[in-house]
Amino acid sequence: MKRIAVLTSGGDAPGMNAAIRAVVRGGLEQGWEVFGVRQGYAGLMGGDFVSLSARDVGGIIQQGGTVLGSARAPEFKTEEGRKQALANLEARGVEALVVIGGGGSQSGAYALSRMGFPVVGVASTIDNDLYGSETTIGVDTALNIALEAIDRLKVTASSHHRAFLVEVMGRDCGYLALMAGIAGGAEVIVLPEVESDPEEVIETLKAAYRRGKAHAIAVVAEGATNNANELMLYAQENQKRIGFDLRVTILGHVQRGGMPGAFDRLLATRLGVGAVERLAGGEHGVLMGLIRGEILATPLDEAAGRKKPLDLGLLEMARVLAK
Ligand code: ATP
């Protein structure tokens, strides 16, 4: 093999740059030329390629986001779009592609590999919903950012008689909310995976004060039916009866923008190097992930389109510990 390409796709995640760096430098070590594709699958279809040297990926390991840019590119879901991408890869003599991204991106990687092109995926999404990796690039950093916010809100919540509601990212998956809620000692956790009742959320917060707690915090996932906006509306409509102020903080994209911590830099580096090693060994059509502490490959036909279920037993544990 002489040439490979690497791209980042879907939502950006802290640590993606460390993975790009590992793929580029690992590939150069093999004697390959490595192209970076800008803006994910959009750049693949548009022919936005740039040859990367070891120096080009210097100074990025500590940066959040992705220096290659990322995009959502619905046209890649069409065969026509993917044919255009293949033509661009072939025109540059690129023989394999590394796709750093989440569930949707790995479905795209699988679609391309089914058309006969060698692809290796790298598990990267702050949602941590990807089958084939116990944890994915960006999760640890995003979680720590959410925790810092929760810890700070607890301080101010203790000083006033106020309950706080923190909304964290997670459209369909409540992993971040669940883990941030447990590690942050939240009184209530609201997830997209579990039905919730606004009155019950308010009651649980009230009960925390009745038990003599200095604070009451609810952590909710953005994709929950009762997300921050819904709960705030409910609290406003019933303010007199509820008897306390509910303050809402929506963390939103703040969670994505952090500098990757040690865990994500190391994970991303190992996954990126793992992807290159598999390609060098002639293996492709796989997703690189962390399984029981090891960097292992799962076939894309097993991993793509499959979500890792949330351990809902932990929600009960969180409820018990919020005494
Ligand atoms: P995250 O969940 O962290 O935001 P993601 O990779 O799941 O990341 P998506 O927006 O779901 O993000 O997907 C990114 C891109 O992958 C899409 O814009 C599209 O170009 C491509 N893609 C998604 N699903 C498919 C599919 N079934 N076939 C081909 N391409 C796909």
Side-chain angles (χ1 to χ4, degrees):
M1 198 185 301
K2 298 273 190 311
R3 286 180 183 151
I4 66 164
V6 56
L7 61 79
T8 49
S9 168
D12 61 298
M16 277 182 159
N17 284 326
I20 295 169
R21 172 182 176 271
V23 171
V24 170
R25 292 191 177 169
L28 293 173
E29 179 65 19
Q30 298 287 338
W32 304 337
E33 180 175 12
V34 185
F35 286 95
V37 182
R38 293 200 188 92
Q39 307 300 331
Y41 292 127
L44 201 61
M45 292 182 289
D48 198 353
F49 291 54
V50 56
S51 182
L52 295 172
S53 70
R55 291 286 70 71
D56 289 329
V57 290
I60 66 170
I61 197 168
Q62 70 275 33
Q63 289 176 22
T66 157
V67 291
L68 288 177
S70 187
R72 311 231 185 239
E75 315 85 68
F76 197 71
K77 292 185 183 174
T78 66
E79 190 161 341
E80 215 169 283
R82 293 194 298 275
K83 276 189 178 156
Q84 181 59 50
L86 283 178
N88 289 334
L89 286 162
E90 274 155 24
R92 284 162 187 80
V94 175
E95 291 163 89
L97 176 69
V98 177
V99 172
I100 304 167
S105 304
Q106 300 310 334
S107 293
Y110 180 48
L112 202 62
S113 92
R114 265 189 326 204
M115 291 168 84
F117 195 81
V119 187
V120 171
V122 167
S124 176
T125 167
I126 65 166
D127 291 342
N128 203 20
D129 56 353
L130 206 47
Y131 182 87
S133 196
E134 283 157 12
T135 190
T136 50
I137 296 171
V139 171
D140 184 68
T141 304
L143 197 47
N144 277 305
I145 293 169
L147 269 184
E148 196 184 324
I150 293 168
D151 290 347
R152 285 171 191 232
L153 287 170
K154 270 192 164 175
V155 174
T156 169
S158 307
S159 313
H160 305 275
H161 195 66
R162 272 180 197 150
F164 274 88
L165 210 147
V166 188
E167 185 180 281
V168 304
M169 277 191 158
R171 271 170 303 165
D172 313 306
C173 175
Y175 182 88
L176 276 184
L178 180 56
M179 296 306 162
I182 293 171
E187 278 62 44
V188 189
I189 301 171
V190 185
L191 307 173
E193 289 88 348
V194 181
E195 258 186 58
S196 59
D197 170 21
E199 188 58 34
E200 215 177 297
V201 172
I202 302 291
E203 251 321 299
T204 313
L205 292 174
K206 264 181 149 175
Y209 282 121
R210 281 200 297 269
R211 291 199 302 278
K213 285 205 167 194
H215 53 73
I217 305 260
V219 176
V220 308
E222 64 173 324
T225 319
N226 287 300
N227 61 11
N229 282 331
E230 291 300 319
L231 288 167
M232 191 169 60
L233 241 113
Y234 186 84
Q236 277 167 357
E237 279 165 10
N238 299 279
Q239 214 226 350
K240 279 208 178 102
R241 181 171 60 79
I242 291 169
F244 63 82
D245 271 355
L246 187 66
R247 296 294 161 102
V248 173
T249 301
I250 298 178
L251 293 182
H253 286 79
V254 163
Q255 285 159 100
R256 283 195 194 278
M259 277 170 74
F263 184 89
D264 281 324
R265 291 186 206 187
L266 293 171
L267 175 64
T269 299
R270 292 174 72 200
L271 290 175
V273 166
V276 168
E277 281 172 359
R278 296 287 167 153
L279 284 174
E283 202 177 330
H284 50 80
V286 292
L287 172 70
M288 301 309 300
L290 184 73
I291 300 172
R292 287 184 294 279
E294 282 186 76
I295 301 302
L296 296 176
T298 302
L300 277 170
D301 69 356
E302 210 181 297
R306 190 162 165 191
K307 280 204 185 293
K308 185 169 57 189
L310 202 54
D311 179 358
L312 290 176
L314 292 174
L315 189 60
E316 177 55 16
M317 182 188 83
R319 196 191 60 75
V320 169
L321 295 181
K323 274 194 198 320

Coordinates of all heavy atoms in Angstrom, one line a residue, residues 9-11 41 71-74 76-77 82 101-105 107-108 111 124-127 171 256, ligand 1:
S9 N -15.8 12.6 11.1 CA -17.2 12.8 10.6 C -18.1 12.8 11.8 O -17.9 12.3 12.9 CB -17.5 11.6 9.7 OG -18.9 11.6 9.4
G10 N -19.3 13.5 11.5 CA -20.3 13.6 12.6 C -20.0 14.7 13.6 O -19.2 15.6 13.3
G11 N -20.5 14.5 14.8 CA -20.2 15.5 15.8 C -18.7 15.4 16.2 O -18.2 14.3 16.3
Y41 N -17.4 13.3 5.2 CA -17.8 12.7 3.9 C -18.1 13.8 2.8 O -18.1 13.5 1.6 CB -19.0 11.9 4.1 CG -18.7 10.6 4.9 CD1 -19.5 10.3 6.0 CD2 -17.7 9.7 4.5 CE1 -19.2 9.1 6.7 CE2 -17.4 8.6 5.2 CZ -18.2 8.3 6.3 OH -17.9 7.1 7.0
A71 N -18.4 17.3 9.3 CA -19.7 17.8 8.7 C -20.7 16.7 8.7 O -20.4 15.5 8.9 CB -19.5 18.2 7.2
R72 N -22.0 17.0 8.6 CA -23.0 16.1 8.3 C -23.3 16.1 6.8 O -23.5 17.2 6.3 CB -24.3 16.4 9.1 CG -23.9 16.7 10.6 CD -24.7 15.9 11.6 NE -24.5 16.3 12.9 CZ -24.0 15.5 13.9 NH1 -23.8 14.3 13.7 NH2 -23.8 16.0 15.1
A73 N -23.2 15.0 6.2 CA -23.3 15.0 4.7 C -24.4 14.0 4.3 O -24.0 12.8 4.0 CB -22.0 14.7 4.1
P74 N -25.6 14.4 4.2 CA -26.7 13.4 3.9 C -26.5 12.7 2.5 O -26.9 11.6 2.4 CB -28.0 14.2 3.9 CG -27.6 15.6 4.5 CD -26.1 15.7 4.5
F76 N -24.1 11.4 1.3 CA -23.2 10.2 1.4 C -24.1 9.0 1.6 O -23.6 7.9 1.4 CB -22.2 10.4 2.5 CG -21.1 9.4 2.4 CD1 -20.1 9.5 1.3 CD2 -20.9 8.3 3.2 CE1 -19.1 8.6 1.2 CE2 -19.9 7.4 3.1 CZ -19.0 7.5 2.1
K77 N -25.3 9.2 2.0 CA -26.2 8.0 2.2 C -26.7 7.5 0.9 O -27.3 6.4 0.8 CB -27.4 8.4 3.1 CG -27.0 8.7 4.5 CD -28.2 9.0 5.4 CE -27.8 9.4 6.8 NZ -28.9 9.8 7.6
R82 N -21.6 8.1 -2.7 CA -20.5 7.3 -2.4 C -19.6 7.0 -3.6 O -18.4 6.8 -3.5 CB -21.0 6.0 -1.7 CG -21.6 6.3 -0.3 CD -21.7 5.0 0.5 NE -22.6 4.1 -0.1 CZ -24.0 4.1 0.0 NH1 -24.5 5.0 0.8 NH2 -24.7 3.1 -0.5
G101 N -15.2 8.6 13.8 CA -16.5 9.2 14.1 C -17.4 8.2 14.8 O -17.0 7.1 15.2
G102 N -18.7 8.7 15.0 CA -19.7 7.9 15.8 C -20.5 7.0 14.9 O -20.1 6.6 13.8
G103 N -21.7 6.7 15.4 CA -22.5 5.6 14.8 C -22.9 5.9 13.4 O -22.7 5.0 12.5
G104 N -23.4 7.1 13.1 CA -23.7 7.4 11.7 C -22.5 7.3 10.8 O -22.6 6.7 9.7
S105 N -21.4 7.8 11.2 CA -20.2 7.8 10.4 C -19.7 6.4 10.2 O -19.2 6.1 9.1 CB -19.1 8.6 11.2 OG -19.5 9.8 11.5
S107 N -21.7 3.8 10.0 CA -22.6 3.3 9.0 C -22.2 3.7 7.6 O -22.2 2.9 6.6 CB -24.0 3.8 9.2 OG -24.5 3.2 10.4
G108 N -21.7 4.9 7.5 CA -21.1 5.4 6.2 C -19.9 4.6 5.8 O -19.7 4.2 4.6
A111 N -21.0 1.3 4.5 CA -21.6 1.4 3.2 C -20.5 1.4 2.1 O -20.5 0.8 1.1 CB -22.5 2.6 3.1
S124 N -15.4 7.1 17.8 CA -15.3 8.5 18.4 C -16.6 9.2 18.4 O -17.1 9.6 17.4 CB -14.3 9.2 17.5 OG -14.2 10.6 17.9
T125 N -17.2 9.3 19.6 CA -18.4 10.1 19.8 C -18.6 10.3 21.3 O -18.3 9.4 22.1 CB -19.6 9.4 19.2 OG1 -20.8 10.0 19.8 CG2 -19.7 7.9 19.6
I126 N -19.0 11.5 21.7 CA -19.2 11.8 23.1 C -20.4 11.1 23.6 O -20.6 11.0 24.8 CB -19.2 13.3 23.4 CG1 -20.5 14.0 22.8 CG2 -18.0 14.0 23.0 CD1 -20.8 15.4 23.4
D127 N -21.3 10.5 22.7 CA -22.5 9.9 23.2 C -22.2 8.5 23.8 O -23.1 7.9 24.5 CB -23.5 9.7 22.0 CG -24.0 11.0 21.5 OD1 -24.0 11.9 22.3 OD2 -24.5 11.0 20.4
R171 N -28.8 13.0 22.4 CA -30.1 13.1 21.7 C -30.9 11.8 21.9 O -32.1 11.9 22.3 CB -29.9 13.3 20.2 CG -29.9 14.8 19.8 CD -29.4 14.9 18.4 NE -28.1 14.3 18.2 CZ -27.6 13.9 17.0 NH1 -28.2 14.2 15.9 NH2 -26.4 13.4 17.0
R256 N -18.5 19.8 24.2 CA -17.6 19.2 23.1 C -16.3 20.0 23.0 O -15.3 19.4 22.5 CB -18.3 19.5 21.8 CG -19.5 18.5 21.5 CD -19.8 18.6 20.0 NE -21.0 18.0 19.7 CZ -21.2 16.7 19.5 NH1 -20.2 15.9 19.6 NH2 -22.4 16.3 19.2
Ligands
ATP1 P1 -22.2 11.8 16.7 O1 -23.3 10.8 17.1 O2 -21.1 11.7 17.6 O3 -22.7 13.1 16.4 P2 -22.2 10.4 14.1 O4 -21.1 9.8 13.3 O5 -23.2 9.3 14.6 O6 -21.6 11.2 15.3 P3 -24.1 11.4 12.2 O7 -24.6 12.8 11.9 O8 -25.1 10.4 12.6 O9 -23.0 11.5 13.3 O10 -23.4 10.8 10.9 C1 -22.4 11.5 10.2 C2 -22.4 11.3 8.7 O11 -22.2 10.0 8.4 C3 -23.7 11.7 8.1 O12 -23.8 13.1 7.8 C4 -23.6 11.0 6.7 O13 -22.7 11.6 5.9 C5 -22.9 9.7 7.2 N1 -23.9 8.6 7.4 C6 -24.7 8.4 8.4 N2 -25.5 7.3 8.3 C7 -25.2 6.8 7.1 C8 -25.6 5.6 6.4 N3 -26.6 4.8 6.8 N4 -25.0 5.4 5.2 C9 -24.1 6.2 4.7 N5 -23.6 7.3 5.3 C10 -24.1 7.6 6.5

